[in-house]
Each structure stands twice: as structure tokens, then as C-alpha cells.
Amino acid sequence: MPSVERLRALYADMVTARYYEERLQEEYLEGKQPAFDISAGPIPGELHLAAGQEAAAVGVCHHLRDDDVVTAPHRPHHVAIAKGIDLKRMTAEIFGRDTGLCSGKGGHMHLFDPDVNFACSGIIAEGCPPAVGAGLAAKKRNTDSVAVAYLGEGAIDQGGFFESLNFAAVHDLPVVFVVEDNDWAISMPQERVTDVESADTRADGFEMDGIRVDHDDAVAVYEAAAEAVGRARDGNGPTILSVQVHRRMGHFMGDPQSYRSDEDQEAALDRDSIERMEAHLRDHGLDDDDLGAVRAEAHQRVDDAIAWAKDQPKPDPDDAYEHVFTNPPSGVTDTEPDFDLAETGGEGE
Amino acid sequence: MIDRELTMSRAIVEAIGSEMRENEEVFYMGEDVADYGGIFDSTQGLLEEFGYDRIMDVPISETAYLGAAVGAAQQGMRPIAELMFVDFFGVAMDQIYNQMAKNTYMSGGSVSVPMVMTTAVGGTYSDAAQHSQTLYGTFAHLPGMKVVVPSTAYDAKGLMHNAIRDDDPVVYMYHKRLMGLGWLPAPAGPKTPVPEEDYTIPFGKADVKREGSDVTVVTLGLHVHRALDAAESLADDGVDVEVIDLRTLVPLDRKTVVESVEKTGRLVVVDEDYRSFGLSGEIVSAVADEALDSLEAVERVAMPDVPIPYARELEHEVQPDASDIETAVRNVR
Ligand SMILES: Cc1ncc(C[n+]2csc(CCOP(=O)(O)OP(=O)(O)O)c2C)c(N)n1
């Protein structure tokens, strides 16, 4: 069992992530109601919320250091927060501001914070190979840092995942593949797309270890992750850690979820990992005031981040041409040359 | 007189449904195409009529299901396989390019691959660099697949009938902004009258969407509508713009383009795909090859060679719009 301080820290990140997404949701819907137009409102683009999946984020990331690498998929906020991403600059990025983590170029599915080695991508399972590469780098350099690739249960059918498992296993790389099993891949329930009941059994074919945590209990995840991350850190190779979580929301904001039964949605709402965590904290002697204090601090942090982000400058349109290369080749900086036969003395008037 | 108008997605679905009714061998595979009806409404309503066996949700395994479409097509079936966003082609490009597109040639013509790969293209809603590309040029550049890009509901239906009946692999690229989605409002143009009965639109026949004598604007997809908007406001200033909608890239109707430039002497090519090594260069070169003497001035309006940024100000900067087209037309005048 983790220490009380650790439990409190897990809880703080969970409530930060949950409240963060509630606030983002409010901001996102501004200007998109009553008629939902994805291109209106203060937050651009798609928004995938992770409410209900916090246990999988904090349970693993609280074993990690800044030099450990995390790659997350298209639903990244809870993992980013647990990994210690710069909350203000992440928020500014989501609002498309110049001082955002990626200068407004990446947005919510493509957050990069090299200070804490966090990255994410919107292409399914494609964070797995780079995580393997980070594990490879750690092994070659003889450091004890580890890499964690997060993916959804829908992503476990993707080729890039299988190839990554094999590569990590055959080279005994320090990688943990964390599968957040929320039962749904957009509208596709797991049983329609795979005969395998649980992602951890994918480990079997690769001579690696698989662990399943079949409820979204942050403490159970924390304990399972101690084993998986410990194995990686000790040089004993990769693990698949599969965690049952719940998708409380639609796949993305604006998803009407007509494919999903009311019972299923209600069941997801009923099983709240945050309430479960509160029960653990109470078992450790914390009372409502203690919990309220943690929550108040988390909410303040989120409100500050959102207020700060909304106050940030928008990018200068000319910056669209920056950052294509780290070392821009000389002579081709003008991406829109003005070419015109008349001006260049061709067949002109 | 046709008194009903359809959105582009309804027109596409109508063609697919009709072909599926006619031919047992036609089926549709993709992610979220069954219960969801396609993220971009590309299969709305088909599940009810045809069931899960013919409107198949597939695992998130593009290599497997696009390759499976190739295999089924080589057995003589007529699969339609949807790649949700064209940007995802990378995880499965071998099946698309080394199998689907090459097997006919490599077999010396003894094998054919009568499948359709449908895919959504285009930006303008801040979905950033992995979800907003247009990539017309990539697919048209690589030999062996026909490439179709409708801009209206009428064309979308006729081109889809043709695509399914064609004995070759067809890549059918629809722009998200044209589909008529509730959450991504379309301009008025793509919703058109559509006949109830089946009809085909042959590949390789560009459509002159607006006749004009001063400048030829060649484009496709969403930018047909932007070019028409630009043409309207230029008309107020006495500039008479001809707008050509290519409709298919492979085969490419060079003749219509060349004839138009022979008439106007001035060419503007508009493309939402990247500028270099792509469609806009191809069109300019086609005209230069065949009508250099008529060509007085050329402009290209295209996505600069940068990944598509997220923030609205940045995406707006790189995305060609009607005012960019207007400026280009004025520049060649
Ligand atoms: C290669 C690729 N194919 C398809 C998609 C579209 N897509 C985005 S999220 C998603 C479902 C993912 O489900 P899962 O992995 O279970 O994660 P969840 O969304 O449930 O968190 C799909 C199909 C994509 N982004 N990339």
C-alpha cells in the first residue's frame, strides 16, 4: 500500500485531471451551442476527454521520473497531468496560443513537453514504436530510465503495436505498454473487433509479461505498475499492463453516442475511480475537510491555468512557416515564390 | 426537373446502396461504418438494410483490412474499404501502393483489383497536421490507382457508381467540408439536385463549372466552391473567370484545361494539397507542354510546404481561401 502522502498525490492528480476536463468542456462548448459547429468557439479542433480514465494515468506515472519517457494517444490530458506536464502551457496550446507548449502548432492531440519527456500523437498505436526507441536509447546509454506507451484497447489490433511488442521483448527493453481498456473504440465494442478478452494476453505470444487490473482502482494500478515499471528499470524487459477504465463521455465532444445503450453509459458513470480513491483516503484517516482541501488546491491550479492561457497572445500568422526544420536549408525559406511568366519576361504582355 | 436536393454524403450513400442491391459481391468495410454510419456520414443508414456482414466494422488494423479488400477484389468481389482520414494512409501504405495499385501491372494484366478505397480529406477546422491533409498529389502521383474527387452531390453519386463498377482500384476522396455534416457546416454549393435513378459520370471528364473569357481557374473539391465565390466577386469588377472542376485526377482531363487556357491565356491553379511536387505543378506543366504559346501568366494557389498547423490564425494563413484566389486572378490579369 502506498504511503498517505503518495495516496494524497495520486488523488490530487486525479481530481486535477477531472476538473481540468470539466472546465475544458465548458470552454469548448462556448459558441458551439445550440448548433454544434466544430470550427466555432474558443477551443479549436476535436477534443477527446479522458474522464473516467484517471486511475490508469496516475497509477503508472507516479512511478516515473522526469527522464522517463511517456507517449500518449489522442486522449492525453490525464496522462500529461500525471506525468507533470506544464499545465499552463498545455492549456495555452489547447487554446491555440503562441506561448503554448507547441506554439499553437500541435493542439490537444499533439502535445510535446520535452522537460518531462511527454509526447502524444493522433495516429492509433503509433506512440508505441517511439517508446520502444526511448527504451532502446536508455539501454544503449546504460541509464535506468524507462519508457511508457499508452494506448487504448482499440489500438491493440494495430500492426505497430505488435511489432513494438516483439522488438521490445527480443531486446529486453525497458518499456511498459499501458492499455487503457474503456470498452469502446469510438463506436466499436471490443467483441466486434477482437476475440481476445483482455489486452494483457497479447503478451503471451512474445514471451513477455502481461498484467491485468480489472477495475479502475488507482491503488491497484499503482501496485501493478510498481511491478511493471520496476521490471523495466531493473533491466528485465517489457510488460503489458492492461487497466479496465470507463469512458464517461462520448468518443469526442459532439459524439451523440447513439451506438451506446443508456445502461452502458450509466454503468460507466456509476463506477467512479475518484470515489473509489476517496474511500482509500478515508481508510487512511482523511476526512471531508482534508479531501476538500486537496480538491480546492487542484481546482485553483486548473482555474489559474485556464485564466492564464486565455490571456495569452494568439500566434502571428507568419509563424506558420517556422519550425518545419530545426536547421532550415538555406535558399528555400520562401515557400510561396511569386512566379509569373509575365513578370519573368516569358510570354508576357 | 429534379425537385429533391441531397447533401454529398446522402448522394454517396445512395449510390453505394444501389450498387449493393444490384450486386451481392459489393460490400463495405471500415472503422465505425456500421452503428455509427461513418464518422463523415459515408454509410448512414446502410447497416439497417444490409446488416453487419455487408457493412462491416473492422479492427483498427488498416494494413489488414485494406489488404483484405485487395485480396477479396482479386477474387472478383467488389469491396469498398474506408480509410477514415487520408492522413492515416501511412500505417497501411504498402497494401495501398505495393499491392492494390501494382498487382494488375505486375501480373501482366492477369489480375485485376476492382475495389474502391474511400477516404476523407481536407482541413479548415483546426484538426492539425495528422488529420487535415488533402494528399491528392500523393495518390495521383503513384501509378495504378484511379483518383476521384467530387465537389457536388450530383457528381458524387455518378462518380461513385462509376467507381464501384470500375475494374480497377479507385481512390475516392471526399472533402469533409462538402459532406453536409451537422457538426461541420458546408458551403451551399455541394448540395445539389440529384436524380433518384442510377447514372454514371465517366472518369477523365472535367466539368466547366463557370464559363469565362479572362482567366482559367483549375481546381477540385472544396476549392471549386471557393473559386466560384472568387469568380462572383471578380465579376463585379468586370473580370470574367472560367472555373474548371477536374473531378478526377487519374485520369486527368488535360484537354479541357488546355482548351480553356487557349481561350483565356491566363491560368490559376488552386489546390488544398501541398504546393511542391504535386497537382498544381502537374497542371501548369500540362499547359506548358501543349499550349505554351497561349500562356501569358500563371499563378499557383496551394498549401505551402508546411505541415498543417492547429491554431486558427496559423491554419487560416496556410489554407488557400477565396480571397487568395481572387488575388491570384488579379495578379495574372
Ligand atoms: C491509424 C488510425 N486509424 C484510425 C484512427 C481514428 N481513430 C481515432 S481514435 C479511434 C478509436 C481508438 O480507440 P481506443 O484505442 O480504444 O482508444 P479510446 O478512444 O477508447 O481512448 C480511432 C479509430 C486513427 N486516429 N489512426
Side-chain angles (χ1 to χ4, degrees):
Chain A
M1 192 43 100
S3 66
V4 181
E5 292 74 63
R6 177 62 69 186
L7 286 178
R8 199 197 298 260
L10 292 172
Y11 179 64
D13 275 356
M14 290 175 83
V15 294
T16 301
R18 179 69 61 86
Y19 182 65
Y20 185 69
E21 296 212 326
E22 285 166 5
R23 290 285 291 107
L24 274 192
Q25 183 181 359
E26 273 169 36
E27 297 285 343
Y28 188 76
L29 288 176
E30 211 190 298
K32 291 192 181 73
Q33 285 170 324
F36 188 83
D37 172 356
I38 196 168
S39 54
I43 298 181
E46 280 180 80
L47 189 65
H48 307 82
L49 299 181
Q53 305 192 179
E54 297 87 353
V58 300
V60 178
C61 290
H62 276 251
H63 292 286
L64 303 180
R65 310 183 303 234
D66 285 355
D67 64 315
D68 294 326
V69 170
V70 166
T71 64
H74 56 287
R75 200 181 297 288
H77 308 144
H78 57 319
V79 181
I81 287 169
K83 184 67 170 80
I85 201 168
D86 185 323
L87 190 66
K88 286 187 167 154
R89 295 193 58 212
M90 159 158 107
T91 313
E93 184 60 32
I94 293 170
F95 278 88
R97 303 304 167 106
D98 193 37
T99 48
L101 280 172
C102 318
S103 310
K105 298 233 168 77
H108 122 97
M109 278 190 279
H110 323 98
L111 301 161
F112 295 82
D113 190 346
D115 290 347
V116 296
N117 282 294
F118 178 88
C120 54
S121 158
I123 308 295
I124 291 303
E126 292 303 290
C128 296
V132 169
L136 183 65
K139 184 167 178 184
K140 281 184 183 296
R141 289 170 168 170
N142 241 329
T143 71
D144 69 344
S145 56
V146 306
V148 176
Y150 274 86
L151 62 157
E153 91 295 333
I156 65 165
D157 302 319
Q158 187 66 284
F161 175 56
F162 284 87
E163 296 186 22
S164 298
L165 292 179
N166 191 57
F167 194 110
V170 76
H171 290 287
D172 289 321
L173 299 181
V175 184
V176 181
F177 298 93
V178 179
V179 179
E180 294 183 273
D181 181 352
N182 67 9
D183 297 324
W184 292 94
I186 311 187
S187 70
M188 300 194 295
Q190 207 174 341
E191 65 273 12
R192 193 160 335 118
V193 289
T194 176
D195 286 343
V196 174
E197 214 166 284
S198 174
D200 57 300
T201 61
R202 290 263 195 267
D204 295 350
F206 298 93
E207 297 287 327
M208 62 191 276
D209 290 284
I211 308 174
R212 168 140 183 106
V213 179
D214 59 11
H215 46 80
D216 52 6
D217 178 344
V219 173
V221 178
Y222 184 81
E223 284 171 347
E227 186 187 332
V229 174
R231 179 179 298 129
R233 202 158 324 272
D234 296 343
N236 295 322
T239 307
I240 299 179
L241 171 60
S242 174
V243 181
Q244 180 69 52
V245 293
H246 295 92
R247 202 181 87 189
R248 297 171 73 88
M249 319 279 297
H251 172 73
F252 38 49
M253 290 297 299
D255 174 4
Q257 298 201 83
S258 46
Y259 51 82
R260 193 175 180 188
S261 72
D262 291 346
E263 299 80 70
D264 186 78
Q265 292 188 52
E266 278 156 26
L269 294 175
D270 277 352
R271 302 187 34 162
D272 189 356
S273 60
I274 291 189
E275 284 170 19
R276 201 186 279 267
M277 192 65 201
E278 287 171 350
H280 283 301
L281 290 162
R282 288 203 174 86
D283 287 347
H284 281 75
L286 274 71
D287 62 19
D288 282 349
D289 286 348
D290 299 325
L291 299 181
V294 176
R295 277 202 305 273
E297 200 181 317
H299 291 192
Q300 191 60 53
R301 208 181 142 216
V302 168
D303 287 334
D304 288 350
I306 289 179
W308 184 82
K310 287 170 73 171
D311 212 29
Q312 295 303 298
K314 295 188 170 163
D316 177 345
D318 285 344
D319 291 344
Y321 306 99
E322 302 281 320
H323 303 131
V324 179
F325 297 104
T326 297
N327 174 23
S330 59
V332 294
T333 44
D334 185 359
T335 56
E336 294 224 56
D338 233 9
F339 171 70
D340 177 328
L341 285 182
E343 275 175 20
T344 52
E347 297 285 315
E349 295 140 306
Chain B
M1 210 26 218
I2 306 152
D3 59 2
R4 61 168 202 156
E5 289 197 337
L6 296 187
T7 60
M8 208 164 94
S9 81
R10 295 303 316 164
I12 288 173
V13 168
E14 195 166 275
I16 294 168
S18 161
E19 292 293 328
M20 287 183 68
R21 241 165 266 131
E22 290 292 310
N23 184 351
E24 281 288 319
E25 305 265 273
V26 180
F27 66 99
Y28 202 107
M29 285 196 276
E31 292 157 13
D32 303 287
V33 300
D35 296 285
Y36 201 107
I39 297 297
F40 302 107
D41 291 359
S42 53
T43 51
Q44 277 297 326
L46 293 175
L47 177 68
E48 288 78 74
E49 181 177 353
F50 298 105
Y52 288 110
D53 285 344
R54 294 184 70 198
I55 302 294
M56 289 176 65
D57 272 346
V58 295
I60 307 174
S61 313
E62 284 82 0
T63 293
Y65 76 79
L66 292 170
V70 175
Q74 286 177 187
Q75 293 304 309
M77 294 196 78
R78 296 207 166 242
I80 306 167
E82 174 172 304
L83 178 65
M84 191 188 288
F85 289 68
V86 77
D87 314 69
F88 307 160
F89 81 88
V91 300
M93 199 52 169
D94 184 71
Q95 292 302 323
I96 298 168
Y97 177 50
N98 278 323
Q99 318 297 330
M100 180 183 99
K102 286 180 178 162
N103 285 356
T104 302
Y105 186 80
M106 292 195 304
S107 67
S110 64
V111 162
S112 63
V113 188
M115 63 176 281
V116 181
M117 186 181 102
T118 56
T119 190
V121 301
T124 74
Y125 64 105
S126 307
D127 225 5
Q130 297 176 341
H131 287 73
S132 305
Q133 298 174 100
T134 306
L135 302 183
Y136 297 142
T138 302
F139 290 85
H141 176 65
L142 301 169
M145 25 190 179
K146 296 172 180 170
V147 179
V148 174
V149 181
S151 71
T152 66
Y154 181 87
D155 288 358
K157 178 170 167 175
L159 290 165
M160 181 56 87
H161 277 295
N162 219 46
I164 298 171
R165 293 175 197 178
D166 198 290
D167 289 335
D168 285 314
V170 176
V171 178
Y172 188 103
M173 307 174 92
Y174 49 78
H175 198 291
K176 297 157 207 164
R177 260 284 173 215
L178 299 181
M179 291 293 268
L181 306 169
W183 51 274
L184 190 61
K191 194 171 179 188
T192 62
V194 177
E196 311 242 1
E197 62 278 6
D198 296 356
Y199 58 95
T200 57
I201 291 177
F203 294 164
K205 188 86 203 69
D207 187 27
V208 180
K209 285 273 191 292
R210 182 184 197 285
E211 288 191 22
S213 54
D214 294 336
V215 177
T216 299
V217 174
V218 176
T219 188
L220 71 173
L222 173 68
H223 284 79
V224 169
H225 303 283
R226 296 191 166 177
L228 290 170
D229 287 347
E232 281 313 305
S233 68
L234 286 156
D236 295 340
D237 292 352
V239 184
D240 193 16
V241 178
E242 180 142 304
V243 177
I244 295 180
D245 177 359
L246 291 169
R247 297 203 291 204
T248 67
L249 290 181
V250 180
L252 179 64
D253 183 359
R254 291 181 168 81
K255 187 163 169 277
T256 298
V257 174
V258 167
E259 282 171 4
S260 174
V261 176
E262 282 169 344
K263 175 174 72 174
T264 62
R266 295 172 173 90
L267 173 64
V268 172
V269 188
V270 184
D271 184 12
E272 193 178 332
D273 197 358
Y274 305 117
R275 177 184 176 94
S276 297
F277 309 103
L279 168 76
S280 60
E282 183 61 33
I283 297 295
V284 173
S285 125
V287 173
D289 280 349
E290 295 182 39
L292 191 57
D293 289 348
S294 313
L295 197 57
E296 290 177 32
V298 181
E299 279 269 340
R300 292 198 270 167
V301 181
M303 186 67 72
D305 301 325
V306 305
I308 299 164
Y310 166 77
R312 288 205 183 99
E313 296 71 22
L314 301 179
E315 191 189 21
H316 182 78
E317 165 68 23
V318 296
Q319 264 274 354
D321 61 17
S323 71
D324 297 325
I325 300 171
E326 220 183 293
T327 306
V329 170
R330 290 187 198 282
N331 284 348
V332 296
R333 273 274 295 167

